[in-house]
Structures are given as C-alpha cells and as structure tokens.
Amino acid sequence: MRIKPEDASGRLYTLAGKRVWVAGHRGMVGAALVRRLGREQCEILTVERTNVDLTRQDQVVPWMSEARPQAVFMAAAKVGGILANDSYPAQFLYDNLMIEANVVHAAFTTGVEKMVFLGSSCVYPKHAPQPITEDALLSGPLESTNEWYAIAKIAGIKLAQAYRKQHGCDFVSAMPTNLYGPGDSYDLQASHVLPALIRKAHEAKMRGEREIVIWGTGTPQREFLHVDDCAEALVHIMKVYSEAAHINVGSGEDLAIIDLARLVAEVVGFKGEIAHDLSKPDGTPRKLMSSEKLRALGWRPRIGLREGIADAYRAFLKDWSASRSGASD
Ligand code: GFB
C-alpha cells in the first residue's frame, strides 16, 4: 500500500521539496492554486494545452512519465455555467471523462504520491436535504441542466476511490461549491452567474442603461466561495486529508440569485432595475453544502461575499474590460 501514515506534526502529506503539478493552471482554480503554492517550498509544474491535450492518453502518459510529478491538483476540466452545461452535454461528459481517466490512471502508473481531484457541488441530487452532507452522493436524481457534467465528476470521485481501494493510491476528492474570482470567464453565454452579473452591471453602468437582465426567476439559492479561499482549502486537504470519501468545500452561506444581482449592482455601482429572462433555466433550487467536515480539519473561508465581489470586479476591470472597451457583444 502506498498510503502513508501521518507524521509527528499530524500532517499526512508535506509539499516541501515536492514536484507539484497543477493540472488546468490556465483555469480560474488552477491559477489560484499556482498563486497559493508560491508560498510553499515546492516546485510547481504546469503544461500548456497546446503541448499536452489532457483528453489524449497518448499525450498525457509520456508527459507525466517525463515530468514525474509527486503531487497533483486535478483542476483541469471542461467547465461552464448553466446554459453551457445544458447546451453541450456530450462535450461536458466526454471531455471530463477523458481528462479524469487519463490523469488518474497515469498518476497511478507513474507513481504519484498524492492527488486532490476537484469535483463540484452539482454532483449531489437536485432535491438533496440542505445543507448537503457528503453522504448525500448518489441518493437521488440529478438536476437535468448539468447531469452530464455531474456524472463525469461522480466518475472522477469513483476513479479516485477505485485506485485507492485496488492500488493503495493516496487520491482524494474535494467538492467545491460555486466559485468566483480573478481569472473567471465573462463570456455571457458560457459563464457562471457571478461573472456574468459583474459584466452586465458594469456594461449597463458604462452605457447609461436602465436595466440589466438576469436569467430565470432569481429565486434559486446559490452558495459562493472566492477562488483564493478554495485554493487555500485544496492545499489544506492535500496536507491533512487522506480518506476515500470526498470532502465538501463551501462558504456555508447562500443567497437568492436576485439578492446576488442586487449586491453585484451595488458593488459595481449600477443603479438601474433588474429584469428577468424567463426563457432561461433556473436549474437546481438550492445547493448549500455542509462543509463541517473540512472545518473540523481546521480550514475556514476568509473572504466575505461583498469583499470577494469587489475583488472580482477589480480583476474584471484589469484583465478583461480594458482589453474589450468598445466591444458590443
Ligand atoms: O452560475 P450558474 O450558471 O450555474 O447559474 P448553476 C446559477 C443561477 O443563476 C441559475 C441564474 O439559476 C441561473 O439561471 N442566472 C441569472 C444566471 N442570470 C444569469 C446569467 O447571466 N448567467 C448565468 N450563468 N446564470 C452550474 C452547473 O450550475 O454550477 C455546473 O451548470 C457547475 O455544472 C457550476 O456545477 C458550479 O449553479 O446553476
């Protein structure tokens, strides 16, 4: 068995001196992990998609055999908001299954010591009791708008468990709630709600428009976590957690989408009305997770929602808006 007992400090794994691969470092979570790992005494490995396509086993295996990462944060995934998930089910299922299967299997064959696989809160049943504890997995039907992505992420959890059970690999899975922050996608068709609201409120303010349009009824409740808090949690999990069961990563608080829209408008400085496009889906009514298990291990979020949105808006202005000034899509 490769799973190691905890050391004298109570840690199960140390990153110091290790080669640590952040798979998906160009994504919002991967980039946050790279920032966070800068404070650890480890060597950070990354690889560009143009060099290694993670959906291709014939590219993943040679690269991992050569690079020999000792620890892996599996943050590479095809991700998107409710409409992208609902519109491209084959791509969300296929890409994510391939990426996971390739990376997890190659992590086993190349002797990776520890891996943290990232899932999503959408793995839980649509009507799971709230707050959702880890044992709600596979206890009921999924939300239809994202069942394809959810099935792929459930397969990822099961891959980690299977390689642990059969081969003794120290692979664990973390389920983050809805994340936001620097490096998010602002593509209005493909993005998640929070970056979409930042862009809509900002553009309406700049154009002097009187309203922004949000999708659906605004009644669904969502929990949000700043990506830097998530990166902190993932590094903590890498160090102190080593169980087959997955572990939730959330802020512990949720709010209705209409209240989120009002908060974003306030932070951005948009003073107009909020209208609804009821042709767009609401998705799951609520998915507040219980993160008590992780809190009991000593992690807690530090960035409040208002403060986090202000940070995300600053990042939006810096990274995106300036380069797109004058664009009309
Ligand atoms: O963030 P979001 O796309 O993802 O949408 P989910 C959350 C809620 O915000 C839904 C509403 O009720 C949307 O209808 N919403 C309002 C908007 N205005 C907008 C808008 O302009 N853009 C978007 N995108 N939503 C995703 C899953 O579900 O959550 C993924 O599809 C993943 O699989 C991710 O798990 C974390 O929370 O509904």
Side-chain angles (χ1 to χ4, degrees), residues 178-244:
N178 288 34
L179 302 173
Y180 70 95
D184 220 335
S185 162
Y186 300 98
D187 175 333
L188 291 180
Q189 293 306 306
S191 77
H192 291 99
V193 61
L194 207 153
L197 292 177
I198 287 178
R199 178 174 168 184
K200 286 177 182 179
H202 174 76
E203 291 187 341
K205 181 179 84 168
M206 299 312 283
R207 294 173 185 154
E209 290 167 358
R210 295 221 191 116
E211 67 170 31
I212 58 169
V213 179
I214 66 168
W215 295 353
T217 60
T219 57
Q221 301 264 132
R222 290 291 183 274
E223 176 188 21
F224 295 94
L225 183 71
H226 191 283
V227 71
D228 287 342
D229 272 338
C230 180
E232 192 68 46
L234 297 171
V235 169
H236 193 61
I237 288 169
M238 173 71 84
K239 291 176 179 174
V240 307
Y241 188 72
S242 178
E243 286 177 28

Side-chain angles (χ1 to χ4, degrees), residues 82 85 120 122 146 149 178 191 193 200 215 222 281-282 287:
I82 191 166
N85 269 268
S120 162
C122 72
N146 59 30
Y149 179 75
N178 288 34
S191 77
V193 61
K200 286 177 182 179
W215 295 353
R222 290 291 183 274
D282 267 350
K287 49 177 173 178

Side-chain angles (χ1 to χ4, degrees), residues 33-226:
L33 276 165
V34 170
R35 287 197 297 275
R36 172 60 187 82
L37 289 169
R39 290 194 268 127
E40 301 289 324
Q41 308 301 315
C42 64
E43 182 189 345
I44 303 168
L45 306 179
T46 58
V47 62
E48 298 301 330
R49 189 182 305 190
T50 43
N51 295 335
V52 177
D53 177 347
L54 297 180
T55 66
R56 298 270 307 265
Q57 190 182 33
D58 62 344
Q59 296 186 13
V60 173
V61 173
W63 184 78
M64 283 186 72
S65 306
E66 175 78 25
R68 292 259 156 201
Q70 291 160 290
V72 177
F73 286 96
M74 232 305 264
K78 165 77 186 161
V79 300
I82 191 166
L83 191 63
N85 269 268
D86 206 21
S87 307
Y88 306 106
Q91 204 181 342
F92 274 82
L93 184 55
Y94 177 83
D95 283 5
N96 285 306
L97 286 174
M98 295 303 283
I99 293 169
E100 289 159 14
N102 290 336
V103 172
V104 172
H105 186 70
F108 160 57
T109 58
T110 62
V112 166
E113 297 166 0
K114 180 102 190 225
M115 172 157 56
V116 177
F117 170 78
L118 271 75
S120 162
S121 59
C122 72
V123 297
Y124 292 113
K126 176 168 185 163
H127 297 296
Q130 314 277 321
I132 310 171
T133 48
E134 286 82 357
D135 60 6
L137 190 72
L138 294 173
S139 62
L142 298 164
E143 152 62 26
S144 63
T145 52
N146 59 30
E147 65 178 313
W148 321 97
Y149 179 75
I151 288 285
K153 288 296 181 183
I154 292 169
I157 296 172
K158 292 296 165 190
L159 274 170
Q161 289 175 348
Y163 280 77
R164 170 180 287 269
K165 184 173 156 85
Q166 186 176 339
H167 300 297
C169 299
D170 195 357
F171 298 168
V172 300
S173 298
M175 295 307 111
T177 190
N178 288 34
L179 302 173
Y180 70 95
D184 220 335
S185 162
Y186 300 98
D187 175 333
L188 291 180
Q189 293 306 306
S191 77
H192 291 99
V193 61
L194 207 153
L197 292 177
I198 287 178
R199 178 174 168 184
K200 286 177 182 179
H202 174 76
E203 291 187 341
K205 181 179 84 168
M206 299 312 283
R207 294 173 185 154
E209 290 167 358
R210 295 221 191 116
E211 67 170 31
I212 58 169
V213 179
I214 66 168
W215 295 353
T217 60
T219 57
Q221 301 264 132
R222 290 291 183 274
E223 176 188 21
F224 295 94
L225 183 71
H226 191 283

Side-chain angles (χ1 to χ4, degrees), residues 300-321:
R300 47 196 27 77
R302 295 178 194 284
I303 305 170
L305 187 55
R306 179 183 290 272
E307 180 195 345
I309 292 171
D311 179 63
Y313 183 42
R314 278 192 295 274
F316 167 84
L317 290 173
K318 186 160 164 269
D319 299 340
W320 189 89
S321 187

